[in-house]
Amino acid sequence: MTCTHWSTTLLMLVAVGGVAAADAVSLIRGPDSPSPSPTGARIEPRPDGGWRVLPLKTTRHPGIEWRPTSPWNLAARTALQVRVANPTPEPIRISVRLDDVATLGAEPKLQRAATVPPRATGELAVVFTSRPYDTDHPQSLIGMRGWPGDWPVDRSSLVRCWVFGEARTSAVFEVLDVLALGSTTVIPTNRFFPFIDRFGQFLHADWPGKTLHEDDLVKSLLEERRELAAHPPPADRDDWGAWTGGPALSTGRFFRIERHDGRWWFVAPSGRLFWSLGVNCVRAEAPTPVTDREFYFADLPPSNSPFARFYGRSSWAPHGWYSNRTYRTYDFAAANLLRKHGQMWNEAWVDHTLDRLPSWGWTTIANWSAPEVTRRRRLPYTYNASFASPPIEGSHGYWGKFPDPFAAGFREGARRAMETATREGAVGDPWCLGFFIHNELGWGRPEDLGAAALRSPPTQPARTAAVARLRARHADDLARLNAAWRTTFDDWDRVVPPSPPMTAAASNDLAELTALIADQYFRVIAGEVRRAAPGQMYFGCRFAWVNELAIRAAAAHCDVISFNRYTWTLDDFRLPAGVDRPVIVGEFHFGALDRGPFHPGLRAAADQHDRAAKFQAYVRSALRHPNIVGVHWFQYRDQPTTGRGDGENYQIGLVDICDTPYPELRAASRALGAEMYRVRAGLQ
């Protein structure tokens, strides 16, 4: 993780990963500091102790480096900061690279860069860790995205710091100082294992709210029941969670979408305006793999323990160490609920959770939540009716290949998915807000899916449709296509686009094929949703990587367009020109590393207070946006400290692995929930 800050003057205090520059120690200004050496440049000392770097134009990396006689040990530091100045009238790109003995002369493993504005000074920081603890040497653990000691170099033994500019440039820059910032508690690597306690928490650190004994779980439950009794849900909500302080519109059987006073809203069956503040993955279970790493855990239960019921097996792992394997798991989260609620723990947990969420200001149970939660019909919910079907073989994506919407199995899959939704009670249920189908498909650039179809085997239905469209576009004249694409194909069956496309005409043709695929994708699914669930809403496929063509196709067929948007706010969110449709954000979150877990997720906060503030800023930006009808937090509980099947181990929950709420986020969501509808309506 890196944090870069530029300013026109050096600040007296510069926050880097929660660390202030007041904690800084110079690595190059003391009496025992190493002397610098030029790399493809001349260097001149500045009167204040820094160095001016005058590049030689012909060199690849003009810069300055320090090689300490005794390696720098920065294991107890949280960041290294290089203070630089650009005296020129043009912006310049500056990089810093750190090496241990193993990486000298090898491909860089720890290198950061930033652009310095003209005639500006600034600070380029290499953040080592945001955790309040770390190990004294790097270590490689399996099945996790983050862990103590996940360093690309051994920062306890750094032998070079190299600061350099771009290749073959004459732009002068200055290095004012190189500083070690912050401090972290160092855990000896040779005493690290085991590092997970019987509750699934990090063993070697303490923090506010950590569970230390079984009695803590029962005590926290009793305290929270009193706290919930003192904080009922906001008074301006009806039974659906809709706004009683707003207008009374016509009633209906299901939730619907309407535009009111220039803003899109959901309308509840009661006829009241509704905004969806939801949370994903409201479920009890959170298993973590134990195969190959039993020694990570201090106290896994024996087979005759009452807690042995929480062992399991899984094969879900689209990425990482456990992909394409079956592995043993243990579910600390569910075990903690047994400790907390007793033998009827699952039913008691559902009741307690459904007391929590309205009190905390939430209005929706969102994607991938447990049926035993949604079936209580105490909060509106969304349903994911995803399905597997034949893919476009030439495609690719983070979660797999793109489904072929022209394949017969595609429509059949959508129909089966809605039949399952019918059996599970979502079809015809007025508490079902709507249906998501699929998640974060690999739409790519405008021309990508069209190209993928043409790169697929001749039997691929999407390829057949794509070739038919090309033949129609070029009047069934292959010579016309060859002239437009600058290719030499001798048969329509051999048309495979070069990568990248050679001409603008080829790119345009491929984009038209992508639009064809996108339209077929949304049209077929929308038809099956409306056939099975007339009057209920289709929310699309939760865009993450997307292009304008796909958004326009979704706008034509979906009741609400869905995006997963891991950004700081939604202030800059825009739909394509001419598209005015309601939007729901299927996922967002912020995480911090001050309460035990090892990874902050996709948007990092400095601590729990900062996390709560970022949550409020994000939701407020959504409430101000006229198209956005809801945002859904990912997810209810922190992911396991040692990761789920694909290694994600993010601190992103409303509650921790022991089902203990994060009080800062609870207070923030409760306060925002109390004023949410008035903010949405523009009344405050």
Side-chain angles (χ1 to χ4, degrees):
M1 187 194 319
T2 63
C3 177
T4 305
H5 174 88
W6 296 113
S7 62
T8 54
T9 58
L10 280 174
L11 303 180
M12 294 301 293
L13 289 177
V14 180
V16 180
V19 179
D23 301 318
V25 172
S26 176
L27 298 172
I28 66 170
R29 287 177 176 259
D32 298 324
S33 299
S35 298
S37 301
T39 61
R42 292 186 299 108
I43 58 174
E44 297 175 352
R46 284 168 45 104
D48 63 359
W51 294 88
R52 172 167 283 212
V53 180
L54 299 95
L56 304 176
K57 284 186 178 181
T58 58
T59 57
R60 185 178 177 189
H61 294 303
I64 182 171
E65 68 176 15
W66 287 266
R67 297 197 182 208
T69 304
S70 297
W72 289 334
N73 183 352
L74 303 187
R77 292 292 189 165
T78 58
L80 179 138
Q81 183 187 79
V82 182
R83 295 186 172 182
V84 295
N86 173 12
T88 76
E90 300 294 333
I92 58 176
R93 187 81 167 165
I94 301 295
S95 300
V96 57
R97 170 175 169 168
L98 301 176
D99 284 291
D100 59 16
V101 172
T103 60
L104 273 175
E107 288 296 314
K109 292 187 176 180
L110 186 53
Q111 182 172 305
R112 303 290 183 260
T115 299
V116 192
R119 296 191 175 93
T121 57
E123 305 83 31
L124 170 57
V126 180
V127 177
F128 300 134
T129 182
S130 296
R131 289 182 285 266
Y133 47 81
D134 221 318
T135 55
D136 55 353
H137 295 288
Q139 53 182 350
S140 295
L141 305 186
I142 60 173
M144 301 158 65
R145 299 283 178 90
W147 60 88
D150 56 344
W151 318 339
V153 301
D154 187 349
R155 73 174 197 259
S156 70
S157 186
L158 296 174
V159 298
R160 180 173 70 160
C161 174
W162 182 19
V163 184
F164 56 92
E166 293 183 281
R168 286 171 285 281
T169 178
S170 59
V172 175
F173 65 92
E174 296 173 339
V175 178
L176 309 180
D177 210 345
V178 178
L179 304 164
L181 300 185
S183 62
T184 185
T185 300
V186 175
I187 302 165
T189 305
N190 59 6
R191 298 209 302 269
F192 186 75
F193 298 100
F195 64 93
I196 298 296
D197 69 13
R198 66 187 182 279
F199 303 110
Q201 306 167 118
F202 184 47
L203 186 63
H204 301 306
D206 291 318
W207 56 86
K210 185 177 184 181
T211 296
L212 303 176
H213 192 273
E214 280 82 353
D215 290 348
D216 294 344
L217 294 167
V218 178
K219 185 186 301 182
S220 70
L221 176 61
L222 297 176
E223 291 174 352
E224 193 184 353
R225 283 174 176 165
R226 290 192 290 270
E227 198 270 349
L228 289 172
H231 293 87
D236 63 349
R237 307 268 174 96
D238 68 10
D239 291 343
W240 302 94
W243 186 31
T244 58
L249 307 180
S250 62
T251 60
R253 183 181 177 192
F254 300 110
F255 279 87
R256 66 183 189 270
I257 283 291
E258 284 194 20
R259 193 174 178 88
H260 181 78
D261 284 348
R263 301 173 180 87
W264 285 101
W265 292 82
F266 287 113
V267 179
S270 61
R272 296 291 186 173
L273 300 178
F274 178 89
W275 204 81
S276 180
L277 183 61
V279 58
N280 290 281
C281 302
V282 183
R283 51 194 324 117
E285 65 271 14
T288 189
V290 297
T291 297
D292 298 336
R293 50 183 200 167
E294 289 82 358
F295 62 100
Y296 287 13
F297 307 98
D299 196 13
L300 288 172
S303 58
N304 61 352
S305 165
F307 295 96
R309 71 177 78 174
F310 300 111
Y311 285 109
R313 300 192 71 79
S314 178
S315 58
W316 182 85
H319 310 285
W321 181 265
Y322 293 100
S323 61
N324 301 312
R325 300 178 60 187
T326 297
Y327 51 89
R328 195 183 191 206
T329 65
Y330 189 73
D331 194 336
F332 289 99
N336 290 331
L337 293 176
L338 171 61
R339 294 182 174 106
K340 187 172 186 174
H341 292 286
Q343 289 301 315
M344 301 297 291
W345 63 270
N346 200 355
E347 183 175 349
W349 169 79
V350 172
D351 287 336
H352 188 55
T353 299
L354 289 173
D355 288 340
R356 280 172 163 173
L357 291 176
S359 171
W360 295 354
W362 301 85
T363 64
T364 304
I365 305 293
N367 229 35
W368 301 304
S369 293
E372 58 265 31
V373 176
T374 60
R375 286 171 185 162
R376 294 291 186 90
R377 293 170 173 80
R378 287 182 55 186
L379 285 174
Y381 65 92
T382 64
Y383 185 95
N384 192 301
S386 294
F387 60 92
S389 62
I392 297 175
E393 291 298 337
S395 68
H396 60 85
Y398 184 79
W399 298 111
K401 296 180 178 181
F402 197 92
D404 186 342
F406 293 96
F410 182 80
R411 185 181 295 276
E412 293 168 4
R415 185 162 296 180
R416 287 195 305 271
M418 293 307 297
E419 289 170 353
T420 300
T422 301
R423 289 194 300 272
E424 294 184 351
V427 170
D429 185 0
W431 288 87
C432 180
L433 197 61
F435 298 93
F436 293 109
I437 298 183
H438 295 136
N439 181 64
E440 298 186 342
L441 296 173
W443 292 94
R445 298 167 301 178
E447 64 269 20
D448 283 353
L449 279 183
L454 293 176
R455 293 189 183 115
S456 297
T459 56
Q460 184 84 54
R463 177 182 167 81
T464 300
V467 171
R469 175 61 62 89
L470 283 179
R471 295 181 77 146
R473 180 170 180 78
H474 292 277
D476 205 20
D477 186 346
L478 189 55
R480 282 182 53 172
L481 179 138
N482 281 327
W485 288 24
R486 296 181 191 164
T487 50
T488 57
F489 301 121
D490 58 3
D491 191 295
W492 286 104
D493 288 338
R494 295 188 179 91
V495 172
V496 178
S499 181
M502 296 178 64
T503 67
S507 293
N508 291 338
D509 281 358
L510 295 175
E512 183 177 327
L513 300 182
T514 293
L516 174 73
I517 293 167
D519 181 78
Q520 177 78 355
Y521 171 86
F522 287 109
R523 184 173 55 79
V524 169
I525 292 179
E528 292 304 314
V529 171
R530 286 164 187 143
R531 183 191 62 80
Q536 292 181 267
M537 289 185 287
Y538 170 38
F539 292 163
C541 62
R542 305 164 66 87
F543 289 132
W545 308 280
V546 67
N547 57 68
E548 181 177 317
L549 300 172
I551 296 172
R552 290 186 179 278
H557 297 288
C558 299
D559 298 288
V560 181
I561 311 172
S562 54
F563 296 81
N564 293 350
R565 291 278 294 184
Y566 289 96
T567 53
W568 300 115
T569 72
L570 295 167
D571 289 333
D572 63 349
F573 176 79
R574 300 289 184 274
L575 290 170
V579 175
D580 181 17
R581 298 294 300 148
V583 167
I584 194 165
V585 174
E587 294 180 20
F588 77 106
H589 66 219
F590 305 97
L593 300 179
D594 56 337
R595 301 282 169 87
F598 303 147
H599 198 297
L602 301 182
R603 282 290 180 266
D607 55 29
Q608 295 303 318
H609 293 284
D610 184 45
R611 182 174 179 241
K614 285 180 165 56
F615 161 82
Q616 284 206 334
Y618 188 101
V619 178
R620 286 183 181 278
S621 72
L623 289 166
R624 292 191 300 266
H625 198 295
N627 294 86
I628 296 176
V629 295
V631 294
H632 295 170
W633 177 271
F634 186 85
Q635 59 181 28
Y636 181 69
R637 178 183 289 102
D638 284 345
Q639 292 173 330
T641 312
T642 45
R644 63 184 194 181
D646 66 349
E648 283 191 13
N649 59 338
Y650 300 164
Q651 191 281 302
I652 50 175
L654 308 184
V655 301
D656 67 12
I657 197 71
C658 293
D659 197 51
T660 302
Y662 287 99
E664 299 87 352
L665 188 55
R666 177 180 63 190
S669 65
R670 181 176 278 153
L672 187 142
E675 60 184 16
M676 179 177 77
Y677 282 119
R678 290 181 61 81
V679 173
R680 177 61 177 171
L683 300 178
Q684 66 182 62

